[in-house]
Structure formats: structure tokens, C-alpha cells
Amino acid sequence: MRAVKTLGLLGTGVIGGGWAARALHFGIDVLAADLNPGMQAWIRGAVDNAEGALSRLTFAPLPPKGTLRFTTDLAAMARQVDFIQENIPEQLELKQRVLAEVSRCAPPDVLIASSTSGLLPSDLQRDMQAPERFLVGHPFNPVYLLPLVEVVGGSRTSGAALDAAGEFYRYIGMHALRVRREVPGHLTDRLQEALWREILHMINDGVATTGELDDSIVYGPGLRWAAMGTNLIYHLAGGESGMRHMLKQFGPCLKWPWTRLEAPELSKQLIDRMVEGTQAQANGRSIRELERLRDDYLVAIQQVLRQFNIGAGATLRALEERLYQDSGSAARAATAQPDAIEAGKPLRLIETCVRPEWVDYNGHMTDSRYLQVFGDATDALFRAVGVDDVYRRSGRALYTVETHVTHSGEARALEPLYVTTQILGLDDKRVHLLHSLFRRRDERLLATGEQLYLHVDSAAARAAPMDSAVHARLEQIRAAHASIDGPAMPARHLRLSRS
Ligand SMILES: NC(=O)c1ccc[n+]([C@@H]2O[C@H](COP(=O)([O-])OP(=O)(O)OC[C@H]3O[C@@H](n4cnc5c(N)ncnc54)[C@H](O)[C@@H]3O)[C@@H](O)[C@H]2O)c1
């Protein structure tokens, strides 16, 4: 299977738009195809809408954003892309026909995945050419923020295709949950449907309103579910003997059962109750407003869960780890070049651009982002000399002690930038750096960031000498930089001169 540089989208509605936003954000180009030419404007709007929340998900160094193109020619899309994600309406015959057509245009090493909510992959791949590269990759709305994607193979899907799809989904920050056996509704939608069916029954019977039923989840189980599913939670609920006791105590009610298996008839009265109930819950807020609220708390929850390295937070951590590693590998490769560590020449470790969300109300890159870019440059340098995750796991790290930033120019949205890094001083516990941020278009110096780092033994909570190999690599660079001029304004206290 090939490396994915361009993602092809087949159908660009709610789900296609979500895939586009996620892939573009993590540096993948997208060629979106939809029979309806009006979807071009729609998908661009959807990507812009997603950007606000997505941009706050992580501060790890991201690759340049991918580019978005649109076509109504499905065959042309299939010929040009490395991976196709199908998101057309949930109708078996339609999907079968379109997937078969597209499979005749896409080279056989191009994976084709369907976002289907519940259809079986074996049915969908029936008429396809090279069906072994087909699978279900079922995401959740909003695709750009929820990491879950269910990966399901059909009877003719190859294991290699499932592995490669999982790898791609993880690359764009998702949790690829491999479903062992295809079943209608996969895993999640079966569970969601069971809950929804009970909701419909209770509304139909006048037991509760839609708002009360939502409260019954939001104030209780919903909070638990963000990090522990029903099974682990019930294991905890069973006391010392866990799940065994839980099944003994509540097993009999499962047989009554409390719940019903068949959905109620969708009568006019039931539909009206559902619609009126949810309108009352929306309380005058538009769908867009509610989406923004949902997106904001989804970002915040994932960031909290990251601290516990659990659930979606663990996925976010793994993604950030990979982004920092990629940035460190690029820096390592740059410093390994024969002419990289050259007397009188600073290192050039970070190439980036002003992401639109970095811009303030004046239209310029905002202050905090300078610090972020300089932080990325420091991280890249330290990784390049061996202060990587393995090193940090040994309980040692370099802590920032002091930073001094100067500004001498401005950068607008999407301006390409680069950072050069110079080692000004070094001893066995301290590193003194000078980063310089340049605008690529005219090589203008925009800012400098002078920083002092202290090597710390975290367990002992005190400064300690760094590893000798790390020190030797830093010393090699410092010696090469010894002849470069230092900062024009070496770290000084801010003071207004008196006139
Ligand atoms: N909406 C959800 O919450 C959700 C969640 C997960 C998975 N899914 C699945 O994703 C798929 C798409 O759902 P959606 O909600 O995005 O639907 P949607 O109606 O928003 O979008 C479907 C798009 O497909 C286009 N289309 C229709 N026929 C086409 C064809 N022959 N060729 C190319 N494009 C065509 C339409 O113009 C439209 O833009 C479905 O299979 C659905 O089950 C939906």
C-alpha cells in the first residue's frame, strides 16, 4: 500500500467535510469529489468552520497544512489520489454501484474505505475491482475532533489493507478500533441504537421529556464514559469482587428485562414530541451555535484526558508524540548533513508558516506564537542531540529558566518562516540559546528569542549534569558557533531610558 499524500473524498457532505478538515490540518492534501457542484463552497465553509476548534487541539509542531481541491469528476479523483474515503448516502445499491465504478479507476494499491454507519463491508465490496483493498472506516461526527474510527474488513479484505488503513488513520490523529467480525451497525452504532430505542420508548410512553433523558446521561454516566466504558465502570461498581459480583446482583434484571428490544412505531405524535423536546433544549440557539459549543468542550475534554493518558487523551498524547518526533527527525536529518554544523553558521531547524489561527486582531502573528515557534526550535535542537522521549523517560530533561524575546518585524497569515538556532554558551548543566525568526519571502529578521535552559534530574528535583554524549554533541555545535556574533540586545532588563 502506498504512503498517503493525497486523500480522495467521495461525497462531501457532513462526514466528507469532517474528513477534509482533519486530513488538511495534519498536512494531507485533499481532492474532494461530489456530483453536486454546489458542495465545493459547502466543503470549504465546513473546513473553515472546523478550523477554530481544531487549531486549539494541540500546540505540537504541525506540518504545513494540506491543500484542498474539488471536482465533480469521480473517476479523475480516483486516478489521482493515494487513499479514497467514501461518504455518499447510506444506500446499499448506490454505494455498491459507485464503489465498483471508482475501483475500476483507482490503481489497485489505493485503499478504498467507506464511512458507512452500518452496512457490511462484504456487501459493499461485492462488485469492486481489487476488493481486497476495501474496508469500512466508520468515523463519528464531528470527524475532525472525535478520534474514533471503526476499522472493519469484509470477507475479501486483506489484513494488509486493514493494517495500512489503521496506520493512516493514526497518522491523522485517530484511534483506529479494529472490529473483529463484520456485524450490522459495527460496534458503536449498535450500542447507540439500543440507547436511542429506549429513549423513543420512554418518550412514546410519556415517561420523560427529551431534556430529562439527556440529563439522565449528561450529569451521570456521560461523565464516566469519556474515559471508562460501561464494562470497566461496572467492574468498579461491583466492589472488591468487581464484575463477578455485579453480574450476580443485577443479572436477574437483565432477564426481566428492564428494556425493550423492538423500537416503537414512529407515529406523528412521537415524532412531534422528539422534535418539540429537542427544540426546547436548544432554547433558541442555532445548530451552528450548538456545534461551536460542542466543539469547544470536545477540545477541552480531550486536553484534560491527555493529562491522565486515558481514552481520547491517550490518542492525543500519541499524536503529539509523533508530531514532536517528526519535527525532531527532520532536525536530526538537518544536523546530520555534512555542511549542517559549519563554523560561523547557525543551525536551521524549523521551517513553518503563520497558521491562520496565530493571527491577532491586527492581522499579525500574535505574541504567544513567537514563544511557541521558539519552543519548537528548542525542542527540535534537543531531540537532534539526543534529548528525546527515551531520555526524558529516564527522569532527565532540560527546563526553561529564562526567555527574552525581541520583535523587529511582523508576519501575516500564511507567511512562510524559518528559525535559525545558535548555541551561545554551554556547561555541564546549562545551555544558552539564541533563536532568530526570519520571513522567508525577503529574509527579514522578525524576532529573536534568547533562552537559558537548565538540565534537571526530575526525580531528585534538582539541577544535574547532562548525559556526556548529549553534552558532546551540543559542544560540537557550540564550538562551531563560537565565531558568530551574539544577540544585538543580549538579555537585559526592560527599562525606559530617561529623556
Ligand atoms: N452524519 C453522521 O453523523 C454520520 C456519522 C458516521 C458515518 N456516516 C455515514 O457517512 C456517509 C455520509 O453521510 P453524511 O451524513 O455525510 O451524508 P450527506 O447527505 O451530508 O452527504 C452525502 C453527500 O454525497 C453526495 N453524493 C450523493 N450521491 C453521490 C454520488 N453518486 N457520487 C458522489 N457524491 C454523491 C451528496 O451530494 C452529498 O454531498 C453515510 O454512509 C453515513 O451513514 C454519517
Side-chain angles (χ1 to χ4, degrees):
M1 302 299 162
R2 45 168 90 183
V4 183
K5 291 199 166 55
T6 306
L7 172 68
L9 295 175
L10 188 51
T12 64
V14 175
I15 295 303
W19 279 113
R22 178 177 276 280
L24 292 166
H25 190 71
F26 293 110
I28 305 286
D29 292 333
V30 171
L31 178 50
D34 199 294
L35 289 184
N36 175 0
M39 293 313 284
Q40 163 146 236
W42 192 93
I43 194 170
R44 290 191 188 280
V47 168
D48 287 348
N49 268 331
E51 197 50 47
L54 246 183
S55 65
R56 290 193 298 280
L57 188 62
T58 176
F59 284 148
L62 292 165
K65 237 176 164 20
T67 53
L68 173 64
R69 289 177 297 143
F70 180 87
T71 179
T72 50
D73 183 344
L74 309 190
M77 178 277 289
R79 280 193 291 270
Q80 295 175 54
V81 300
D82 305 308
F83 188 115
I84 295 172
Q85 184 76 36
E86 169 274 305
N87 324 280
I88 63 173
E90 188 80 345
Q91 297 158 24
L92 179 61
E93 292 74 24
L94 174 70
K95 282 196 196 271
Q96 276 173 329
R97 178 172 55 77
V98 175
L99 285 167
E101 280 165 19
V102 162
S103 73
R104 281 189 267 287
C105 305
D109 62 341
V110 169
L111 293 180
I112 303 180
S114 171
S115 296
T116 177
S117 299
L119 299 173
L120 297 178
S122 292
D123 293 338
L124 293 172
Q125 71 192 159
R126 193 189 63 191
D127 303 326
M128 286 179 71
Q129 198 152 307
E132 67 282 355
R133 45 61 185 269
F134 174 79
L135 59 128
V136 165
H138 176 228
F140 292 80
N141 189 36
V143 181
Y144 53 89
L145 287 182
L146 291 188
L148 181 61
V149 54
E150 293 177 300
V151 174
V152 198
S155 57
R156 291 193 285 166
T157 307
S158 73
L162 295 170
D163 290 345
E167 204 173 303
F168 170 63
Y169 292 138
R170 276 187 291 278
Y171 185 84
I172 56 172
M174 302 184 89
H175 178 79
L177 177 61
R178 188 92 156 242
V179 178
R180 291 161 188 265
R181 191 153 58 86
E182 58 181 330
V183 285
H186 323 309
L187 304 184
T188 313
D189 280 354
R190 289 175 79 115
L191 298 177
Q192 293 202 118
E193 192 193 86
L195 197 59
W196 200 30
R197 204 172 43 227
E198 279 313 312
I199 286 173
L200 291 168
H201 271 300
M202 284 195 269
I203 298 286
N204 204 32
D205 298 346
V207 173
T209 65
T210 59
E212 287 158 2
L213 288 166
D214 280 354
D215 285 353
S216 78
I217 296 297
V218 166
Y219 290 93
L223 285 173
R224 300 190 300 216
W225 282 341
M228 291 187 187
T230 299
N231 295 310
L232 191 54
I233 285 290
Y234 282 2
H235 178 58
L236 297 185
E240 279 306 305
S241 46
M243 178 56 84
R244 194 169 292 285
H245 175 71
M246 191 67 187
L247 285 169
K248 194 163 164 229
Q249 188 178 0
F250 291 105
C253 357
L254 295 173
K255 289 278 187 189
W256 296 342
W258 275 340
T259 51
R260 285 186 260 171
L261 292 177
E262 288 231 349
E265 211 48 55
L266 285 181
S267 64
K268 181 178 177 313
Q269 188 194 39
L270 175 53
I271 292 172
D272 285 347
R273 281 186 189 172
M274 290 297 293
V275 171
E276 282 156 21
T278 43
Q279 270 168 359
Q281 287 178 266
N283 197 17
R285 292 168 295 180
S286 68
I287 296 283
R288 274 272 175 269
E289 267 177 278
L290 289 168
E291 275 176 355
R292 267 196 299 277
L293 177 63
R294 174 203 64 190
D295 287 4
D296 286 347
Y297 75 68
L298 286 176
V299 167
I301 287 173
Q302 290 179 73
Q303 286 171 347
V304 170
L305 293 177
R306 176 179 49 189
Q307 294 169 32
F308 297 91
N309 200 19
I310 194 168
T315 308
L316 181 55
R317 236 195 221 198
L319 168 71
E320 292 183 336
E321 210 43 60
R322 201 265 299 160
L323 289 168
Y324 280 114
Q325 259 165 24
D326 284 359
S327 159
S329 307
R332 239 187 328 275
T335 52
Q337 296 292 322
D339 60 347
I341 303 174
E342 207 179 296
K345 201 177 105 186
L347 297 170
R348 182 165 163 165
L349 298 178
I350 291 280
E351 306 285 330
T352 185
C353 77
V354 183
R355 297 182 78 95
E357 65 272 14
W358 293 3
V359 167
D360 62 15
Y361 43 82
N362 288 322
H364 304 145
M365 180 158 140
T366 200
D367 287 4
S368 60
R369 300 298 182 167
Y370 286 85
L371 201 51
Q372 181 182 331
V373 173
F374 290 141
D376 289 347
T378 298
D379 191 84
L381 170 71
F382 287 164
R383 282 176 189 265
V385 297
V387 183
D388 53 15
D389 306 316
V390 176
Y391 191 89
R392 270 193 294 275
R393 275 198 289 276
S394 74
R396 297 166 300 169
L398 282 140
Y399 286 21
T400 316
V401 177
E402 195 173 331
T403 296
H404 180 232
V405 177
T406 68
H407 297 268
S408 51
E410 64 209 22
R412 295 186 171 278
L414 303 177
E415 231 12 303
L417 307 172
Y418 67 91
V419 181
T420 63
T421 298
Q422 177 185 347
I423 301 186
L424 297 171
L426 176 74
D427 62 22
D428 65 343
K429 292 183 193 146
R430 291 176 304 172
V431 189
H432 183 189
L433 297 180
L434 175 66
H435 299 300
S436 303
L437 178 71
F438 291 89
R439 201 160 63 189
R440 220 186 301 156
R441 114 176 105 89
D442 55 3
E443 302 288 330
R444 164 112 190 243
L445 177 68
L446 301 182
T448 61
E450 195 183 339
Q451 298 190 289
L452 186 66
Y453 286 87
L454 186 64
H455 188 270
V456 171
D457 177 333
S458 311
R462 62 162 183 261
M466 63 187 83
D467 177 86
S468 57
V470 168
H471 186 271
R473 266 173 258 157
L474 287 169
E475 174 53 27
Q476 184 197 2
I477 301 170
R478 191 210 58 79
H481 290 175
S483 61
I484 314 175
D485 287 341
M489 295 184 286
R492 49 164 198 182
H493 295 293
L494 295 181
R495 181 165 21 100
L496 293 181
S497 56
R498 296 216 179 124
S499 54

